[in-house]
């Protein structure tokens, strides 16, 4: 089974609007971490936000927030007030407690912000 | 955080040749990770490199094809050997955040094209 599933290959959003990128995960380990990364066309991977499985509150980092629904095993990324510079690929990733060194990445969502 | 310098940033190579990619970190880290991202795909872990020991390779990757060196706690190299067009990918090195051992930071990536 896929560890990380991103079902939206591509998304469009109007500048200044909010957008939600979906991510579901699969693990039986009670200890895990969830991450979102942004990859612009230049190829670098930029860390955006982290959510630990034991964290009680949803993580937020500036315009990024992670909507963590543990029972549903979802970790959606919400970007508020989209900017043209947000256009990029976005990857959801997970690390599991038993092998915390290994990241599992989803297939990615290509976000296009329209002016 | 950690600043990772990776070079070359891109290269075009002839099939049958080899390319060595360098990764320099501005702080000492126990493990360094090498990923491959084939065109339009997600990231796949190639191997984990520990200082003073042989790298640990993931399924589908072998040392003869992707030899790795880790001479000290701030530096690693990945060699792509006997290249074929199927090796055309972005190669990224990565380290864990040395401050809190959660997220991973990535180098800028090496965009390799094999002709």
């Amino acid at each position: 089974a896929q560890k990380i599933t991103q079902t939206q290959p591509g998304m469009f959003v109007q500048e200044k609007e909010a957008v939600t990128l979906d991510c579901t995960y699969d693990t039986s380990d009670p200890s895990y971490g969830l991450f979102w990364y942004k990859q612009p066309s230049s190829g670098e991977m930029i860390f955006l936000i982290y959510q630990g499985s034991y964290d009680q509150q949803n993580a937020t980092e500036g315009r990024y927030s992670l909507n963590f629904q543990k029972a549903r095993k979802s970790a959606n990324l919400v970007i508020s007030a989209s900017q043209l510079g947000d256009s990029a690929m976005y990857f959801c990733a997970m690390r599991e407690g038993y092998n915390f060194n290994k990241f599992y990445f989803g297939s990615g969502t290509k976000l296009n912000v329209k002016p | 955080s950690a600043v990772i310098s990776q070079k070359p940033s891109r290269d075009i190579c002839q099939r049958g040749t080899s390319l060595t990619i360098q990764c320099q970190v501005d702080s000492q880290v126990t493990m360094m990770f090498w990923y491959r991202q084939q065109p339009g795909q997600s990231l796949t872990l190639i191997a984990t490199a520990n200082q003073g020991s042989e790298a640990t390779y993931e399924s589908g990757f072998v040392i003869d094809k992707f030899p790795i060196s880790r001479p000290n706690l701030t530096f690693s190299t990945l060699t792509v050997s006997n290249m074929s067009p199927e090796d055309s990918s972005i190669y990224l090195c990565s380290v864990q955040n040395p401050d809190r051992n959660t997220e991973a930071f990535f180098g800028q990536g090496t965009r390799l094209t094999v002709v």
Side-chain angles (χ1 to χ4, degrees), chain B residues 4-81:
Chain B
I4 305 172
S5 299
Q6 188 176 335
K7 57 181 180 181
S9 59
R10 58 176 63 230
D11 208 339
I12 301 173
C13 300
Q14 296 290 323
R15 66 179 68 201
T17 63
S18 298
L19 175 71
T20 295
I21 302 167
Q22 298 181 3
C23 183
Q24 179 78 50
V25 189
D26 69 344
S27 55
Q28 293 185 341
V29 293
T30 305
M31 286 179 284
M32 296 178 74
F33 306 89
W34 287 98
Y35 287 84
R36 180 177 74 180
Q37 186 180 25
Q38 293 176 300
Q41 303 294 315
S42 186
L43 279 71
T44 301
L45 181 64
I46 297 172
T48 302
N50 290 312
Q51 192 263 335
S53 63
E54 275 202 6
T56 303
Y57 288 82
E58 297 295 310
S59 175
F61 297 97
V62 295
I63 188 171
D64 290 345
K65 176 67 175 177
F66 298 101
I68 288 171
S69 77
R70 183 78 201 277
N72 57 53
L73 291 173
T74 63
F75 187 78
S76 179
T77 67
L78 169 76
T79 299
V80 186
S81 303

Side-chain angles (χ1 to χ4, degrees), chain A residues 17-33:
Chain A
E17 292 186 350
V19 63
T20 298
L21 307 183
D22 294 342
C23 173
T24 57
Y25 59 93
D26 181 32
T27 182
S28 57
D29 198 304
S31 177
Y32 52 89

Side-chain angles (χ1 to χ4, degrees), chain A residues 35 37 39-47 50 61 89 91 95 99-103 105-108, chain B residues 10 31 33 35 37 40-43 45 48 58 90 92 96 100-109 111:
Chain A
F35 308 82
Y37 286 86
Q39 187 178 43
S41 57
S42 57
E44 62 190 305
M45 291 286 284
I46 302 168
F47 166 70
Y50 162 77
E61 291 285 351
M89 282 290 289
F91 291 96
R95 300 167 74 184
N99 187 5
F100 213 60
N101 296 321
K102 185 169 182 177
F103 276 77
F105 284 88
S107 54
Chain B
R10 58 176 63 230
M31 286 179 284
F33 306 89
Y35 287 84
Q37 186 180 25
Q41 303 294 315
S42 186
L43 279 71
L45 181 64
T48 302
E58 297 295 310
I90 298 175
L92 298 115
Q96 293 177 22
R100 65 173 187 171
N101 196 33
T102 49
E103 66 270 18
F105 295 120
F106 288 82
Q108 306 95 315
R111 193 179 295 269

